[in-house]
Every structure is written in structure tokens, then in C-alpha cells.
Amino acid sequence: MFIVEQTTMIQLEGIEKELLKKLEQKDYSLGQLSLMSEKELAEDLEIEEELAALIIQKAQEQLGIHPYTAAEFLEIERRRGRITTGSEEFDSMLNGGIWTGEITELVGSFSSGKTQLCFQLCINVQLPKDLGGLEGKAFFIDTERTFSPQRIEEIASFRIKNTKKVLDNILVAPTSNTDIMLAYINQLEKIIPEENIKLVIIDSLAAHFRAEFIGKNRLVERQQKIMNLAEKLVEIAVDHDVAIVVTNQIIAAIDQFLYGSGEEPALGFAWAHRPQQRIFLRKSRGSARIARLFDSSRFPDREILFYVTEQGISDTSPASLEFY
Ligand code: GTP
Ligand code: MG
């Protein structure tokens, strides 16, 4: 929440000091102010409606509540960062890698490579920009307790000399239930700018929800929680320009034709429309994996082949990589 601070008030040009004090005493957030009617605010502050309208307008401006032109939108999109996955094929499917400012979902059954890809991204986000990174840190929410620093060190060691630094730049949050997971997510807005986080991972998003909210009578509560969380994640991704990658499990499909495979992502419709990119991962022969992009708002549906090797995510098996 945005609290009405001294600095916020200073930006409200043309408003008397006495009125600013009054506003401060009321302790309105910018969000609250932006939603109030002129009449309501005028009555509460005992001021003219015209002045109340000005305050509401300024609050809305400071929250960025105004339409953009499509050209401005394009410019914002161009400035967003991308993190290489380690596979050129995978990157090209997403027009350059995993994007900041949005949620990317990796859906797949066990051993399909979700966690391995997350590990690789934790390393790659730290790379210089010309090598496909964002020179930032990763924040890893580990709900399944499968986070493995040894494995990350191993993958990193094939391309990076200082693997200790790689591990120092990954913050790990092990969680044992939804409340703890949500508490970490609430901390993110403070930690992201302080620590220069460019990638947030939740591996997996479904685990706690599926374990805790069992039975039909808790479905509504569960869906409500998922919806609130999804909204919060979108807000964090956009406001802080970070990439959010979440993994999700698959369940037997209720609608056989929706995803075309008899399987569908867990968490249902409360979650389904939130990620901008949804990618199905599935096993192929040996270390080969298939990634299928579906339901993207920007890219065509496409399927590519990549490999999970000893050296991490790659286009070939085994990978012949050079040191950075
Ligand atoms: P769940 O979390 O169980 O749903 O699966 P996941 O999709 O997260 O699977 P994960 O990413 O952990 O992939 C596991 C697979 O990665 C294994 O079956 C191996 O094929 C591969 N893998 C894991 N570690 C190594 C390794 O050290 N070397 C190689 N070559 N492959 C590995
Ligand atoms: Mg996993």
C-alpha cells in the first residue's frame, strides 16, 4: 500500500499547507484517495468539491492510473529484459527468453525439467546482458524442498569460474505452508529493489494449495486465495520489472479437448489466465525434453526440443559449452 507521505504531498502543487496536514492526519493511502468520490472527500476534509477533485486526480496520476497509447506501450515492452534459458530454441520460442514484467508458468509432470530450468535461470539471470542475463539476483521460493545448491554449483561450474558468487546471488525461501509462502511474497516488494532481484521463482505454486485445501467445501476459499496471490504476482512483476517464473503440476483433464492431451495444469481457472506465458514441459527420449508454448497473448503456439544435461539446459546433448 502507498501511504500518503510528506514527499507525496509536496507533489500536490497548488494545495495549501494546512490542507496537506489535514490529509496527512487522515492517513489516506494514494489507492484510497484515487477511489474516493469528490463529494466524499470534500465532506471529510471540509473543502470545496473542486479542490477534492484536484487531490483525487493527483493521487491517480501518482499511481499511474491513466491510459497509455499503444506506441507508449510498445516502448515499455521494448525496454523489458529477457533471461536466456540456455537453449536457443527455447529462447526463440519466447522471442528472446524469459521476460521481465510478466509471469511465465512451467507446467509438467515429475522429471519433466521444471526445477532444472529454474536452477539454470537462477544462474543465467546473473550473466552480463550481452550473454543473455540481466546482471541481477534470483529469489527462489522452494515449496517442494527440492532446491539444490550442489546442482546449481555443478551447472554453473561448466561456464563460470566463481561459483561461490553465483550461489551468493540466489536468495532461497523454503516454505512449509501457504501462509509462509504468502509472507515471503509480501516481503518481495521491499527485497526486490534492495537486492537487485531480477528473477523470482516459485517452485511449485501448486504444492501447498493442493495439500491444504482438500475437498469441495474448501474450493471457493482456495480459489479466492489463488486469485489474490495471482493479482499480487502480476503487480510485482509489472511494478518492479522482474521475471516471475512459477512451476505448476498437471492433473487429469476435466475437459479432454481444452489442452489436447488428457492433462491440464493444476489450480484451475482462478490461475489459468494470469501467466502471460504458459509452457508445457514433457519428457522425450533420454535427456531430451519437449516444451510447448500455449495460451500466450503475444507469441504463436509452438513446440521445441531441448535437453536437460549434466551441464544444464541446452540445445544439444551432451552440450559443448565454452567458459564465460
Ligand atoms: P517434479 O518436481 O518432480 O514435478 O519434476 P521436475 O519437472 O521439477 O523435474 P526436474 O527438473 O527435477 O528434472 C529431473 C530430471 O532432470 C531428472 O530425471 C534427470 O533427467 C535430470 N537431471 C537432474 N539432475 C541431473 C544431473 O545432475 N545430470 C543430468 N544429466 N540430468 C539431471
Ligand atoms: Mg521439481
Side-chain angles (χ1 to χ4, degrees):
M1 263 299 174
F2 297 79
I3 304 297
V4 177
E5 295 164 1
Q6 195 75 34
T7 49
T8 310
M9 290 297 107
I10 289 163
Q11 291 171 39
L12 294 173
E13 286 161 21
I15 296 174
E16 290 168 21
K17 265 194 180 162
E18 227 164 83
L19 179 53
L20 294 182
K21 253 193 192 157
K22 237 187 202 178
L23 263 172
E24 263 176 14
Q25 280 164 3
K26 294 277 180 189
D27 204 22
Y28 286 126
S29 70
L30 282 177
Q32 284 166 336
L33 278 176
S34 70
L35 291 174
M36 286 180 93
S37 72
E38 296 160 14
K39 194 163 181 285
E40 204 179 351
L41 187 62
E43 272 174 17
D44 199 29
L45 296 177
E46 293 166 2
I47 56 173
E48 297 291 323
E49 278 191 27
E50 220 169 84
L51 192 50
L54 180 68
I55 293 170
I56 292 165
Q57 185 199 330
K58 294 280 179 190
Q60 288 177 346
E61 279 170 14
Q62 281 174 50
L63 281 177
I65 303 174
H66 62 87
Y68 295 92
T69 65
E72 282 170 331
F73 228 86
L74 182 65
E75 196 44 45
I76 292 169
E77 196 163 293
R78 280 209 182 110
R79 283 201 298 265
R80 281 161 53 190
R82 271 157 275 189
I83 307 162
T84 178
T85 59
S87 151
E88 280 180 24
E89 277 283 289
F90 209 127
D91 289 353
S92 83
M93 180 173 73
L94 298 168
N95 192 14
I98 306 289
W99 287 62
T100 62
E102 66 186 26
I103 301 173
T104 301
E105 179 187 14
L106 306 173
V107 195
S109 59
F110 70 97
S111 279
S112 58
K114 304 183 295 293
T115 300
Q116 298 299 312
L117 181 50
C118 291
F119 290 166
Q120 184 76 63
L121 290 169
C122 284
I123 299 167
N124 291 1
V125 69
Q126 303 180 36
L127 295 173
K129 290 189 176 153
D130 57 349
L131 293 175
L134 293 173
E135 293 161 25
K137 295 186 187 177
F139 192 100
F140 196 113
I141 298 179
D142 178 24
T143 72
E144 299 199 327
R145 305 300 181 104
T146 50
F147 182 81
S148 170
Q150 289 93 336
R151 176 66 178 135
I152 292 180
E153 193 174 33
E154 180 187 43
I155 298 171
S157 69
F158 289 100
R159 310 178 93 187
I160 296 167
K161 287 183 186 123
N162 189 352
T163 53
K164 159 92 172 52
K165 198 173 153 215
V166 171
L167 296 182
D168 283 342
N169 286 337
I170 305 170
L171 303 181
V172 190
T175 66
S176 48
N177 59 50
T178 318
D179 287 341
I180 295 175
M181 179 175 78
L182 294 177
Y184 275 119
I185 289 167
N186 282 333
Q187 281 184 7
L188 282 175
E189 286 188 285
K190 188 166 172 286
I191 295 176
I192 287 170
E194 277 175 7
E195 295 284 346
N196 187 31
I197 306 280
K198 285 285 167 198
L199 168 69
V200 174
I201 284 170
I202 307 176
D203 184 22
S204 78
L205 186 65
H208 296 323
F209 285 113
R210 294 190 70 200
E212 286 168 41
F213 296 87
I214 299 166
K216 273 190 180 154
N217 56 342
R218 300 203 67 192
L219 198 61
V220 174
E221 189 189 350
R222 184 181 100 160
Q223 297 304 80
Q224 191 60 50
K225 273 209 169 186
I226 292 170
M227 264 195 270
N228 291 346
L229 170 63
E231 222 159 273
K232 179 92 192 159
L233 290 177
V234 172
E235 196 180 297
I236 292 171
V238 172
D239 289 355
H240 295 279
D241 194 31
V242 291
I244 297 189
V245 174
V246 308
T247 68
N248 194 1
Q249 296 153 347
I250 52 167
I251 53 171
I254 299 163
D255 183 342
Q256 290 274 345
F257 301 103
L258 199 57
Y259 297 98
S261 61
E263 295 171 328
E264 66 180 37
L267 302 180
F269 284 103
W271 170 254
H273 300 290
R274 289 315 192 154
Q276 280 76 12
Q277 315 302 338
R278 310 191 83 190
I279 302 163
F280 251 125
L281 301 183
R282 68 178 197 272
K283 272 175 129 174
S284 186
R285 191 179 288 189
S287 57
R289 298 288 183 276
I290 294 159
R292 179 161 67 87
L293 183 69
F294 68 103
D295 204 12
S296 166
S297 50
R298 286 184 292 128
F299 310 128
D301 289 7
R302 199 179 137 192
E303 204 167 83
I304 60 101
L305 192 72
F306 70 101
Y307 295 85
V308 180
T309 73
E310 191 189 0
Q311 305 180 8
I313 304 300
S314 156
D315 280 316
T316 51
S317 176
S320 52
L321 302 170
E322 287 171 14
F323 263 91
Y324 289 133

